Amino acid sequence: MTKVIFKGEEVEVIDKELKVGDKFPNFRATNKDLTDFSLEDVKGKTLVINTFPSVDTGICALQTIRFNNEVKNYKDLVVITVSKDLPFALNRFCGEKGIENAITVSDFKYRDFENVVGGHIPEVGLLARQVIVLDKEGTIKHLELIKETSSEPDYNAALEIVKEII
C-alpha cells in the first residue's frame, strides 16, 4: 500500500497499482442529480480525472474550481471530479461556485472508483487527492497521487499532457 499525509498523519491509501500506459478501468458513480455515471458517457474524449477528499475543504474546492476553469480552454476535454461527497453536497457546491464545465460525481453509493481504480484512504473513508489524464482511447498518460493531501496538485504537469494529447 501507498502512504500519504492526511491532517499531519501518515495514512495508507489502497493502491490498485495503475500506471502511465495502462488502460483506465471503467467505473460507475453517482451524478449530483442522483443519476448513474459511467466512463462510457464520455467515451472518445480526453479526460482529466480529479479526485479529492471533499469539496467542503479549501484545497479540494480550489482544485475543482481550477479544473472547471481550465476545461473550457480545450476542445474535447472533459474534467471529472470524484469524491465521497454526497450528491447533494456536490450540487450545492457546484451551484455556489459556478461549476458548470466539470462533471462532479460521487463514489459514495457504489464505491466502484475506490474498488476498481483505488485511491481510497480506509482510515478516514475518503479518496486521496489524485489527478489522472487519459487520452481518447482511455490510456493513462499522467497519474499524480499527491503525497500531502493539504497540497494542491501540479496543475501545469497535467495540463501539459492535455496539450500534447489534444
Side-chain angles (χ1 to χ4, degrees):
M1 280 193 208
T2 304
K3 296 191 182 241
V4 297
I5 305 298
F6 184 86
K7 292 192 167 199
E9 300 291 326
E10 189 175 72
V11 293
E12 291 184 326
V13 175
I14 296 177
D15 185 2
K16 300 297 181 178
E17 300 183 18
L18 295 174
K19 59 190 177 309
V20 171
D22 288 349
K23 285 288 186 191
F24 193 79
N26 193 11
F27 68 94
R28 186 169 59 160
T30 306
N31 286 305
K32 61 188 180 197
D33 66 0
L34 298 176
T35 60
D36 283 353
F37 170 85
S38 166
L39 279 185
E40 289 295 316
D41 299 342
V42 290
K43 191 174 184 177
K45 303 282 187 180
T46 300
L47 303 177
V48 172
I49 299 174
N50 173 38
T51 74
F52 47 78
S54 175
V55 294
D56 286 321
T57 62
I59 301 299
C60 300
L62 289 173
Q63 184 176 345
T64 302
I65 292 165
R66 172 74 184 266
F67 279 119
N68 176 70
N69 290 336
E70 290 290 347
V71 71
K72 59 188 167 193
N73 297 322
Y74 301 92
K75 182 182 178 193
D76 291 330
L77 175 65
V78 175
V79 172
I80 302 163
T81 66
V82 186
S83 71
K84 293 285 189 175
D85 290 300
L86 291 176
F88 311 109
L90 294 173
N91 193 37
R92 175 193 42 78
F93 175 83
C94 290
E96 288 174 359
K97 302 297 183 188
I99 307 298
E100 297 175 351
N101 302 313
I103 298 170
T104 56
V105 300
S106 175
D107 196 42
F108 91 103
K109 182 177 180 182
Y110 300 114
R111 299 175 55 162
D112 209 25
F113 193 91
E114 81 175 60
N115 290 318
V116 176
V117 178
H120 182 243
I121 305 171
E123 191 171 324
V124 294
L126 300 172
L127 294 177
R129 188 177 314 286
Q130 301 179 90
V131 176
I132 306 161
V133 178
L134 309 179
D135 67 13
K136 293 178 182 185
E137 289 76 39
T139 302
I140 299 171
K141 296 297 184 179
H142 174 81
L143 176 61
E144 179 188 16
L145 171 66
I146 291 75
K147 298 296 182 185
E148 169 61 60
T149 58
S150 64
S151 297
E152 291 182 72
D154 186 345
Y155 302 107
N156 292 332
L159 293 171
E160 285 302 315
I161 298 298
V162 167
K163 287 177 192 173
E164 289 174 18
I165 294 170
I166 294 179

